[in-house]
Amino acid sequence: MSSGKNTVLGFMFLFFAVLAILYFQTTSAEEIVYEENFEDNSGIEGDFLRCEDGTLYLDTKNSAQTGGGVWNKNVSLSPGKISWRWDGQDTDNFSLWLKVTFNDHKSIYYVAAGSRNPQSEGEFYRDRENRRRFSPSIVISGIPMSQVERDLVSDYTRYCGPAENVRIVKVSAGLGDSSTEHMNILRISDLKIYSQS
């Protein structure tokens, strides 16, 4: 009789353990608050940069031809995690970066491994007393060309200071080909920003 009670108690314990695991998985799951599908060419500046099949890509079609461009999207989001996928073919003397700009004029560049660093060094702006200020950009280079995931709050805190009351106001991507000997076919896709957990 007591072994039957133990079996029932064991099944009840197992049932509640499974319920608890499912509950914590669903409550701690990060919610996607922004997803870029790269469906249209709005927000693109420059030559040879296009959106197609959910991908932002650069293809000059000719190794002797050079060019590039920048894609920009204005947003208003609390920082959380960010993820994207990028890759390249026949690369040399190229630029591939993703930039996140915050409402306090600070920005972080994520630069692909092998890429040249972006030319922008920061932003000039006017403070509340109308004084001219300069906010340098943070450049994190050497990011592998594959699926990438970064914690924006952690990166901001590490390089810029406390992330209290900070919002993302713009996301940008730069793709550039400066080589006359390589094709430098570059792509970015699956850009997502998640809520802070």
Side-chain angles (χ1 to χ4, degrees):
M1 195 73 170
S2 74
S3 69
K5 280 185 180 179
N6 287 342
T7 304
V8 170
L9 286 174
F11 279 121
M12 286 178 57
F13 176 79
L14 183 61
F15 174 75
F16 285 116
V18 168
L19 282 179
I21 289 169
L22 290 173
Y23 172 78
F24 286 114
Q25 280 182 341
T26 56
T27 56
S28 65
E30 295 164 332
E31 179 187 351
I32 297 170
V33 293
Y34 174 79
E35 185 170 4
E36 181 56 51
N37 296 318
F38 298 113
E39 293 176 340
D40 62 60
N41 291 317
S42 62
I44 292 178
E45 304 167 10
D47 303 325
F48 308 115
L49 204 58
R50 299 285 179 265
C51 292
E52 188 175 293
D53 298 328
T55 302
L56 176 68
Y57 73 95
L58 173 75
D59 184 356
T60 60
K61 308 291 186 197
N62 182 337
S63 60
Q65 221 166 5
T66 60
V70 176
W71 167 86
N72 292 295
K73 189 68 161 273
N74 293 325
V75 296
S76 179
L77 302 165
S78 295
K81 288 187 179 172
I82 186 170
S83 67
W84 69 93
R85 171 171 285 287
W86 57 11
D87 62 68
Q89 294 173 272
D90 192 26
T91 57
D92 179 59
N93 202 10
F94 69 98
S95 300
L96 180 59
W97 49 261
L98 188 74
K99 177 185 177 186
V100 180
T101 305
F102 301 92
N103 62 332
D104 59 357
H105 306 283
K106 295 179 180 174
S107 57
I108 298 175
Y109 280 95
Y110 297 101
V111 182
S115 167
R116 295 171 19 188
N117 282 342
Q119 293 183 351
S120 172
E121 296 176 359
E123 179 184 343
F124 285 99
Y125 67 98
R126 297 275 178 188
D127 67 12
R128 290 181 181 166
E129 286 80 38
N130 203 29
R131 293 176 295 198
R132 193 166 191 230
R133 299 283 189 193
F134 179 72
S135 181
S137 293
I138 302 302
V139 177
I140 303 173
S141 56
I143 309 271
M145 279 208 250
S146 61
Q147 182 69 33
V148 180
E149 183 177 292
R150 300 291 299 203
D151 185 329
L152 289 170
V153 174
S154 175
D155 285 343
Y156 185 96
T157 302
R158 180 175 180 184
Y159 298 107
C160 304
E164 297 168 10
N165 302 318
V166 172
R167 291 189 68 77
I168 303 166
V169 294
K170 186 190 285 187
V171 183
S172 308
L175 295 82
D177 176 4
S178 298
S179 172
T180 56
E181 297 178 0
H182 293 260
M183 291 292 290
N184 286 325
I185 300 170
L186 306 170
R187 297 179 196 87
I188 296 178
S189 62
D190 302 319
L191 175 60
K192 296 175 185 166
I193 298 174
Y194 303 85
S195 60
Q196 189 175 354
S197 54

